[in-house]
């Protein structure tokens, strides 16, 4: 039997098949647009017209589920300038439009909610908050001041932040999103609590893995108790941080066991952080499906539908992952930036593989930043009604992206001054 025939024969059971989630929500196929930070908010850090235009493109992509980029639960914590920021009492009209556009082509749309913790750029705040006062370290003098010196969160502040995650999910529910994904990977705040490298606390939030997972579990339980029964709840979790002495596969397996009683609707497996960017394939030694080996282990211990993200490009690899039941959903990121409607071609059989050829730089940190800058450029182009196109110079594009980020950071600080008299990060 030829490989092409085999792919066609399996397709009815594979990526083209529907998936019913535990909450009753039905996804029309197994392809998910994974989260990528868009950076397209307006001056009030709400969804902008450019963001709407971008999601108009993605709503026609053919994907079963669209996961948004980082949406911030706390005005004092921003993963990058240009993020949408949630706050209690906000006008929901622009969020409702975003949710409506995302669903206009038959996809479901879930909001990814997040807090950066220590992974906050220094030009946004010099003193980010974190489980423990341990700074992000990226080799090279030029990166010494990229991130600020964090301060340790007090116990009462942790409880406030837990409630902010819960409030964010309620806002997303009211705005018409189909669900939320709690970001607990890639070195952001919840992942920082999980890792013994970044969490050296001696109180109820540190020490044992049970204590380090308490923040995440409290967030998920609180969301579960506060939203509609058919509202999706998912979590993005690192298989490992790929750092010696950090959050390891054995830890991740134990956390997944802790998640099982909560009866989540989705568990996304990824890996890495800014210091070790495995989510971009660094250090994984795999060309496709970076985290599928770990997903096999997770499948043995959980009934939560499993989304595996990282490196999928070939239809045959995607089909095999679904048909073999190593994954329930396949998450794809960068191809959506350069080929926004490729899923339709993949499902129809017109294309077998989607490629993204971004030249690599020798320095891992520079390579990661340049890749993210190149991807964000495509979001801006599509938000302006243009077609995606690689920049002529990755370095120059990254510099311009950093300049743009600093301009947005100034707008962000003015936004805080206008709207909030109290800043957690400056206490």
């Amino acid at each position: 039997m030829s490989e092409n025939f085999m792919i066609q024969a399996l397709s009815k059971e594979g990526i083209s098949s529907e998936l019913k989630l535990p909450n009753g929500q039905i996804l029309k196929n197994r392809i998910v647009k994974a989260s990528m930070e868009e950076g397209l908010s307006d001056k009030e850090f709400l969804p902008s017209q450019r963001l709407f235009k971008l999601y108009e493109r993605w709503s026609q992509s053919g994907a079963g589920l669209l996961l948004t980029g980082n949406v911030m639960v706390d005005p004092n914590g921003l993963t990058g300038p240009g993020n949408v920021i949630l706050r209690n009492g906000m006008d929901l009209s622009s969020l409702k439009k975003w949710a409506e556009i995302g669903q206009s082509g038959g996809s479901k749309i879930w909001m990814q909610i997040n807090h950066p913790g220590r992974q906050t750029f220094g030009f946004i705040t010099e003193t980010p908050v974190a489980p423990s006062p341990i700074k992000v370290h990226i080799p090279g003098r030029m990166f010494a001041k990229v991130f600020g010196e964090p301060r340790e969160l007090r116990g009462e502040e942790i409880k406030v932040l837990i409630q902010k995650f819960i409030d964010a999910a309620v806002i997303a529910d009211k705005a018409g999103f189909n669900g939320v994904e709690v970001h607990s990977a890639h070195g952001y705040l919840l992942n920082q609590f999980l890792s013994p490298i970044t969490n050296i606390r001696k109180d109820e939030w540190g020490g044992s893995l049970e204590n380090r997972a308490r923040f995440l579990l409290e967030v998920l339980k609180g969301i579960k108790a506060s939203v509609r029964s058919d509202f999706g709840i998912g979590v993005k979790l690192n298989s490992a941080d790929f750092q010696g002495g950090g959050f390891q596969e054995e830890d991740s397996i134990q956390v997944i066991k802790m998640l099982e009683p909560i009866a989540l609707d989705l568990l996304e497996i990824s890996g890495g952080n800014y210091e070790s960017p495995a989510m971009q394939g660094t250090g994984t030694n795999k060309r496709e499906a970076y985290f599928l080996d770990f997903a096999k282990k997770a499948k043995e211990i959980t009934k939560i539908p499993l989304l595996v993200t990282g490196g999928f490009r070939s239809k045959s690899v995607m089909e095999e992952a679904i048909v073999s039941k190593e994954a329930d959903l396949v998450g794809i990121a960068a191809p959506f930036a350069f080929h926004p409607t490729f899923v339709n071609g993949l499902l129809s059989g017109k294309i077998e593989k989607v490629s993204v050829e971004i030249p690599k730089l020798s320095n891992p940190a520079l390579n990661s930043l340049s890749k993210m800058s190149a991807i964000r450029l495509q979001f801006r182009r599509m938000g302006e009604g243009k077609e995606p196109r690689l920049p002529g110079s990755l370095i120059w594009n990254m510099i311009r992206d950093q300049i743009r980020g600093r301009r947005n950071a100034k707008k962000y600080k003015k936004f805080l001054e206008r709207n909030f008299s109290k800043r957690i990060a400056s206490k």
Side-chain angles (χ1 to χ4, degrees), residues 174-235:
K174 290 179 178 178
F177 284 82
N178 304 111
V180 291
E181 180 185 56
V182 177
H183 202 330
S184 186
H186 297 177
Y188 293 120
L189 182 64
L190 291 176
N191 184 208
Q192 291 162 31
F193 269 89
L194 289 172
S195 172
I197 289 178
T198 49
N199 183 353
I200 56 173
R201 302 175 70 96
K202 304 298 183 184
D203 61 6
E204 62 183 311
W205 306 101
S208 68
L209 181 58
E210 289 75 14
N211 280 357
R212 288 183 276 123
R214 190 184 305 277
F215 194 136
L216 173 61
L217 297 175
E218 290 297 315
V219 165
L220 294 171
K221 290 174 184 177
I223 292 174
K224 188 83 172 179
S226 304
V227 296
R228 293 175 290 117
S229 61
D230 61 347
F231 185 74
I233 305 173
V235 62

Side-chain angles (χ1 to χ4, degrees), residues 19-27 32 65 67 110 178-182 220 223-224 227-236 259-268 299 302-307 328-329:
L19 178 65
K20 186 174 183 179
L21 300 179
N23 66 351
Q25 199 170 120
I26 296 176
L27 305 182
V32 177
L65 174 62
L67 291 175
W110 289 23
N178 304 111
V180 291
E181 180 185 56
V182 177
L220 294 171
I223 292 174
K224 188 83 172 179
V227 296
R228 293 175 290 117
S229 61
D230 61 347
F231 185 74
I233 305 173
V235 62
K236 187 168 189 171
L259 296 175
E260 190 70 14
I262 303 175
L264 299 176
D265 302 294
L266 194 64
L267 171 61
E268 181 179 6
K299 266 291 184 183
T302 185
K303 296 178 181 177
I304 306 170
L306 211 60
L307 164 62
D328 297 293
L329 293 157

Side-chain angles (χ1 to χ4, degrees), residues 353-409:
K353 184 174 183 178
V354 58
S355 62
V356 176
E357 300 297 334
I358 303 176
K360 290 187 177 181
L361 303 180
S362 58
N363 182 292
L366 272 179
N367 183 63
S368 179
L369 289 172
S370 68
K371 183 176 180 179
M372 289 189 288
S373 296
I375 287 172
R376 277 194 292 269
L377 173 64
Q378 312 317 311
F379 299 158
R380 292 194 297 275
R381 290 183 63 83
M382 286 189 279
E384 295 166 0
K386 301 174 183 176
E387 292 301 311
R389 188 182 67 193
L390 264 177
S393 167
L394 290 178
I395 295 293
W396 179 235
N397 180 68
M398 182 179 63
I399 292 171
R400 286 186 297 184
D401 195 48
Q402 291 293 309
I403 292 171
R404 187 179 295 105
R406 282 164 171 73
R407 288 173 181 166
N408 282 339

Side-chain angles (χ1 to χ4, degrees), residues 114-340:
N114 194 9
H115 190 293
R118 70 175 191 148
Q119 273 186 184
T120 304
F121 290 110
F123 60 79
I124 294 176
T125 178
E126 295 179 359
T127 313
V129 294
S132 302
I134 299 170
K135 185 179 178 181
V136 177
H137 175 70
I138 298 177
R141 292 179 60 185
M142 66 181 295
F143 298 108
K145 295 184 179 180
V146 170
F147 299 100
E149 294 281 354
R151 70 166 182 82
E152 183 171 294
L153 282 160
R154 296 188 290 273
E156 61 269 23
E157 290 178 314
I158 293 172
K159 293 177 181 178
V160 169
L161 286 176
I162 289 171
Q163 189 59 49
K164 284 183 181 293
F165 272 95
I166 297 168
D167 292 344
V170 171
I171 290 170
D173 188 9
K174 290 179 178 178
F177 284 82
N178 304 111
V180 291
E181 180 185 56
V182 177
H183 202 330
S184 186
H186 297 177
Y188 293 120
L189 182 64
L190 291 176
N191 184 208
Q192 291 162 31
F193 269 89
L194 289 172
S195 172
I197 289 178
T198 49
N199 183 353
I200 56 173
R201 302 175 70 96
K202 304 298 183 184
D203 61 6
E204 62 183 311
W205 306 101
S208 68
L209 181 58
E210 289 75 14
N211 280 357
R212 288 183 276 123
R214 190 184 305 277
F215 194 136
L216 173 61
L217 297 175
E218 290 297 315
V219 165
L220 294 171
K221 290 174 184 177
I223 292 174
K224 188 83 172 179
S226 304
V227 296
R228 293 175 290 117
S229 61
D230 61 347
F231 185 74
I233 305 173
V235 62
K236 187 168 189 171
L237 185 70
N238 269 2
S239 58
D241 294 343
F242 295 90
Q243 291 178 291
F247 188 71
Q248 305 295 328
E249 283 195 2
E250 296 79 9
D251 300 319
S252 190
I253 289 293
Q254 293 306 311
V255 171
I256 292 171
K257 290 179 180 178
M258 297 177 200
L259 296 175
E260 190 70 14
I262 303 175
L264 299 176
D265 302 294
L266 194 64
L267 171 61
E268 181 179 6
I269 299 297
S270 189
N273 53 39
Y274 280 15
E275 294 173 330
S276 180
M279 58 282 199
Q280 295 183 3
T282 303
T284 62
N285 297 318
K286 293 194 72 175
R287 292 182 63 84
E288 287 200 44
Y290 308 146
F291 308 111
L292 202 55
D293 289 342
F294 177 80
K296 297 174 188 177
K297 301 174 186 177
K299 266 291 184 183
E300 296 175 357
I301 61 164
T302 185
K303 296 178 181 177
I304 306 170
L306 211 60
L307 164 62
V308 181
T309 300
F312 284 100
R313 296 292 182 267
S314 303
K315 184 177 181 180
S316 58
V317 177
M318 299 175 202
E319 291 280 16
E320 182 181 356
I322 300 299
V323 174
S324 66
K325 302 190 183 303
E326 293 170 348
D328 297 293
L329 293 157
V330 170
I332 305 172
F336 278 94
F338 295 91
H339 312 286

Side-chain angles (χ1 to χ4, degrees), residues 52-61 101 340-341 382 385-388:
F52 298 150
K53 273 192 167 295
L54 176 61
Y55 274 81
E56 282 175 2
R57 296 289 297 271
W58 283 338
S59 71
Q60 303 304 314
S61 69
I101 288 171
T341 60
M382 286 189 279
K386 301 174 183 176
E387 292 301 311

